[in-house]
Amino acid sequence: DAFLQQGFAETSTSVIARRAGVTKSLIHHHFGSKQNLWKEVKVRRFSEYAERQQTMLEQSTPDADLLRGSLELYFRFLQRTPQVVRLMAWMYLEGDDDCGDLDRAVLKKGVETISAAQAGGQLRDDVDPRYLLFSFLFLAQHWFQSRDHLCRDLEIEGPVEDRDEEYFDNMLKIFFEGVLPR
């Protein structure tokens, strides 16, 4: 919670220890440093999604349906865990792009899967699979980072949480009309 509220740089080990009801030395005993604790927080928050996504990528045929399912898995994960959205925002603000080996493994497998779907004629092959993946991730992530502001500024009425499904449906339409084979 301390990292989520203040980010890594502004959160002291003393604050973490006080909020957790433990001593600083106990934190250092278990994690070695504030940096290692920060890495463990990120890995624990991200591992649920990463493991499910990795399994989906390994056990499914590389096609548009897998991409759609992957997008929905990520969207629902962010929807259920708003603290992860905040954690990622702090990571980007502080120039920290390390979420451990889980992140790299899922990204690598995602690019490989998109490439295989392109080679099989299931997705457009004139789009770099890395940028396709990047677009896929940030369409979902940016919604949860900005939906309050966007709904207000664009005068979308009703509770913003009620707009998640409407956005998701529109996001799928926009995304897939641009990636399906011509």
Side-chain angles (χ1 to χ4, degrees), residues 2-13 15-16 34-35 38 90-91 93-96:
F3 285 138
L4 292 176
Q5 290 175 3
Q6 299 179 306
F8 173 77
E10 295 298 317
T11 301
S12 70
T13 307
V15 167
I16 295 167
K34 181 176 97 168
Q35 180 70 34
W38 173 234
W90 277 114
M91 289 169 58
L93 286 170
E94 295 181 342
D96 175 6

Side-chain angles (χ1 to χ4, degrees), residues 70-87:
S70 292
L71 183 52
E72 182 166 13
L73 179 67
Y74 188 61
F75 189 87
R76 301 296 176 211
F77 170 68
L78 297 177
Q79 188 179 40
R80 277 192 328 275
T81 56
Q83 68 275 17
V84 170
V85 175
R86 188 167 178 90
L87 181 100

Side-chain angles (χ1 to χ4, degrees), residues 45-109:
R45 295 286 186 179
F46 187 67
S47 64
E48 171 200 343
Y49 163 74
E51 291 166 7
R52 291 182 67 203
Q53 183 65 76
Q54 191 75 17
T55 300
M56 180 186 279
L57 292 170
E58 290 170 358
Q59 296 178 355
S60 300
T61 304
D63 59 16
D65 288 336
L66 173 58
L67 191 57
R68 184 175 278 106
S70 292
L71 183 52
E72 182 166 13
L73 179 67
Y74 188 61
F75 189 87
R76 301 296 176 211
F77 170 68
L78 297 177
Q79 188 179 40
R80 277 192 328 275
T81 56
Q83 68 275 17
V84 170
V85 175
R86 188 167 178 90
L87 181 100
M88 288 189 292
W90 277 114
M91 289 169 58
Y92 297 133
L93 286 170
E94 295 181 342
D96 175 6
D97 63 355
D98 182 23
C99 201
D101 293 334
L102 291 172
D103 188 30
R104 282 183 288 282
V106 170
L107 291 173
K108 182 179 178 187
K109 185 65 177 171

Side-chain angles (χ1 to χ4, degrees), residues 78-146:
L78 297 177
Q79 188 179 40
R80 277 192 328 275
T81 56
Q83 68 275 17
V84 170
V85 175
R86 188 167 178 90
L87 181 100
M88 288 189 292
W90 277 114
M91 289 169 58
Y92 297 133
L93 286 170
E94 295 181 342
D96 175 6
D97 63 355
D98 182 23
C99 201
D101 293 334
L102 291 172
D103 188 30
R104 282 183 288 282
V106 170
L107 291 173
K108 182 179 178 187
K109 185 65 177 171
V111 170
E112 289 171 1
T113 302
I114 291 168
S115 294
Q118 289 172 320
Q122 295 294 311
L123 298 174
R124 287 175 53 171
D125 63 1
D126 63 332
V127 178
D128 186 315
R130 297 169 299 179
Y131 296 130
L132 188 73
L133 181 62
F134 179 82
S135 299
F136 157 92
L137 295 172
F138 284 94
L139 278 172
Q141 186 178 328
H142 193 68
W143 169 251
F144 291 106
Q145 287 177 339
S146 303

